Amino acid sequence: MKTLIAILSLIITAAAHAAPPANDSIAKAAKFTGSYTRFENQNLSQATASPGDPLLAGVSAGKTLWYSVPTPRDSSTLILTVESVSGEGTMTVFSVFDGENVAGSLRGGFGKTFTAGATETLNIGVSSAANLMVMLSGEGTFHLTYRLGFANDFPITATTLSGDKGTVSGFTQYATVSADEPVVPDGEPAMRNTVWYKWTPSFTGTAWVDTNFSFINNSGDVLFGQNTPLHNTVLAVFSGASATSLSHFASDEDSGYGPNSRVGFQAQAGETYYIAVGTVPGQTPGYFHLQYYPGGTGGEIYLFGFDAIKGSILEDETTFPIYVRRRYADPAMSAGCNMADLAASTASPGQDFDSFSPNFTFPAGATNASWEQNTSITLHNDAALEAQSEKVVFTLRIPSNATLGSGGELVGNLLIYDDEFLAGQPGGLYFPQKNIRVREGAGQQFLAVLRDGSGGNAQSFFTTAQSGTATEGVDFGNFAGGILVGSSHGNVSFNIGDDFTFEGDETFTASVAGVGEFTVTIEDDDPYVPEPGTLSTVLCYGSGARHAQLIATVAQSGAVTGKVMLLGQSVSFSGRLDLRGEMTALIAPKGRPSLVLSLSARDADGGFRVELLDSAVTFSPRSIENARVQRYKPKTNPCPFAGAFTLAGGDFSTVKTACAAAIAVTPGGMARVTGRAFDGTPFAFAGLVDGNGELCAVAPSFAGKGQLAFSGPLPALVGQVTDIFVSFNRPARAGDLTKLEVTTSTVHSTVARYTPPGKDQYALDAWLGSAGKATLANGPLMGTTILKNLTITPTNAILAAPDAELLKLKLLPKTGIFVGSFIPPGAAKPLPIFGALTDLPALLGTGTGFFFDGKNGGTITLGKP
C-alpha cells in the first residue's frame, strides 16, 4: 500500500511539474511553414509567463505560446483559426521591426479573444515587408491553423459571387493548394494554384461556370498579331455545409474556349457552391475570367478589342481583323447577329474601305466557333495626302437567340492613318532602344528610329532635353535627325562633349516629338583625384531597424581607412579608391552576418554616394546616403557649424516628446550630444559634423541592449530651425505601457542654435518680464493639462508657487537644458523633469521637455504667460 501511495505521489508530482511546451517563449517560437500549417492540442495550461513577453494594454499576458510566420508575399492574407478544446484566451499578432532584437521590437497587436469550445478566425492583410509573430495567451487546450496566401486562396476565404450572372477576374500566379483543401477524386483533372469563389444561385436548374477567354497575361489580346497564349485552366465545383466540409461536385479542364474550362451542374436555389479556379499542373499560371450564369440562354454577343484604339494603323495594311465573341451561353443553344458600317464613318466606303455587312453564326456545342467568330475590314491604299486620320464606325445588330453585350448595340471605331504623312504628323514611329550608355567625349551618336509600316513621307525630328544630371551645351547637345520618304527607319543624332573634369556618371533624357523619349548615361572618362579629409554619415541596416555610423579618412593617395560603428562594436576597414573614385569593403561584425560598404565619388569636390548592403535581410537590404569630405581645422579652416545647439524630440505614438539634448560642436567638427530619452535613459556620446553640416552620431544605449542615432543638418544661423532624425532602438521592459508602440522608432526633432544669455538677459525671448508659464500634459496626467505660473529672476532662476504638485525647475544657462521635478495629482513620488530651450523669435521662445516615470514621458512646455 505504501508503495502504491509512493508511485501515485510521484505521478502527481511529475504532472504538477510537467515541462512547459517547446514554444513557451518568443525565442523558441514554433514555425509555421508554407501556406498551411496546423498545430493540434496546444496546451496553454502548461505554458509559463516569459520575461520577454509584451504587455497587453499595460497588463501582463500571463501564460503564452509563440509562433513565427514566414515572410509573406506582397498583398497576402494571413488567416489564423483557433479552435478551443477547453479554456479561453487571446490570440495576438505582432510585427517585428528589428530581427536582431525580436522581443524588444514588437509592434501592432491585432487581437482576437476565444472562449471554451468556440472557433475564432483572424484575417490580416500583410505584405513582403512584414516579419510577424503570433502569441497565444490564456488557459486550456486548443488547435491552431495557419494559412497564408491571397485573399481568396483558400475555401474559408472564398470570394462571394453576387447575383445569378456575372464575370470576375483573378490571377493564379501566386495561389497555392493547401493541405486542407478538398480532394479532387481520381480520374478528375488535377489542380494547382487554386483561387476560390462561392456562389448561391437563386434559381433551380442547370448552372454553368466557365473561364472562356482567359489568357496568360492581362491583355487577352489575340488581335494585331500578338496571339497571347491562352491560360490552360481547370475548374472544380464543390458543395457542402461549410468551407471546411466540402464534397466534389464536378470538374473540367478544357471544354471551354481552347484550353479554358467549362462546368455545368444542377443547382438548387439557396444552396451555396464553392468554385475553385486553377492552372493545370505543369502549365503556366496566369490571369482568368470566371463567368457564372444559368442555362437555357443563348448568351450575350459583343465586340472584342475596341475598348482602345490600335496606335498607327496605316492604310497600306490591307485588312484589319475584327473578333466577335459570345459569353454566358448554354452550349445546347446556337445564336447569331449581323455587323454593318455606319454613316458616322469619316472614311468613305468604296474609296477607303470595302463596305461590309457580314452575318455571324455561333453554333451549338463546345467548339471555339461556339464562342468566337471573326471577319476583317478591307482597306484601300490611295495616293491622296490626307492630313487627318479617318474613322470607320461599325456596330453589331440584329441578334438572334441572344442579346447584345451591355444590353444594346455595340459600336466599334477603327482609325486609319494615311501613309502619305505631313511633317510632324504621327506615323507609327518608335525607338527600338530607349536607354543607352556612351563614354564622355564619344562625339556624334546616332539612335535608331523605326516606323510601323514602310509608307510615309519624309519627316524631320524636333528634340528637346527634359531632365538629368548632365548639362546641355556642355555634356551633350546638337540634336538633329529625321526619316526619309517611304523609309522604315531613320535616326536621331546628338553630340557627347568632353569637359576634362571628374563628375561621375551623368544622365539626360530627351524627348522627340512624335516618337517618344530616350535616356542616355554618359560614363565619365576623367580620372578621380582624391579630395583628402574626413568622411562621415549614418546608414541604416537590418531593414532600417538599426543604424551604423561611418567615419573614414580619405588620403591624397586615394587610400581610405575608417571604421563602422554598429551593435556596440567598432569594425575597422581599409581600401583604395580606383580611377573612378570607387571602392568596396567587407564589414564583418561579431555575431552577425557581414555587410558590404561601397563608396562612389560623385564629383571632384569630395561628394560621395555611400551604400551599405545587408546580406542578412531580403526586404530593404540597401541603405544609401550622400556625404561630403570635410577638412575642418580649428585655426585655418574651422567648422562653420561650431557652437551650441539644443534639440527637442518630436512626438510619436503616445509619447509627445521623445528626447531632449544639448549639442556642442567644436571648430574641428566634433560633436558631443548629451541628454535624456523620454523614459529617463541618459545618453552622452560623440559624433561628427560633415561638410554639409550633417550631424552623424550613433551609440549603443539602454544598458547596451539598444541604440540611439542622430542624423540630419544643423542650422547655420541663429534664428533658423532644422529637422533632425532621432532613431530609437529600445528594448522591451517589464511594466512598460509604451513598449508595444515605442520600441524602434524614428522621430523628427527640432534643432536650434543656442546662445547662452548674457548679463541681464532672459534665456527665452518670451520672458520679456519676470513672468512665464509652464504647461504640463500627457503621460501620467491621463489627458489632464496643468498650467503653472512662473517667476523668472534676472539670473534666469525659475520659480513656481509652492502647491501640492511642487513644480521645481532649474535652468542650466550654458547648455540650454532645464531640469526639475513634478508631483502628479494624487501621487506622492516626484517625477524628474528634463528639457531643452529652443529660443527662436519665430517660435516666440519656448522650452520643450518631459517629466518621466521610467515608462512614458509627459510633456512640459515653457513659454510666455
Side-chain angles (χ1 to χ4, degrees), residues 166-189:
T167 299
V168 292
S169 299
F171 186 49
T172 66
Q173 176 70 53
Y174 300 117
T176 60
V177 173
S178 64
D180 67 332
E181 292 189 14
V183 177
V184 176
D186 292 340
E188 297 290 346

Side-chain angles (χ1 to χ4, degrees), residues 402-437:
T403 61
L404 295 178
S406 301
E409 294 184 345
L410 292 185
V411 177
N413 294 276
L414 172 64
L415 291 182
I416 305 173
Y417 288 115
D418 192 12
D419 65 351
E420 291 80 27
F421 289 104
L422 294 172
Q425 182 183 346
L429 302 169
Y430 64 95
F431 291 114
Q433 183 180 10
K434 295 183 178 181
N435 297 280
I436 62 172
R437 296 181 67 91

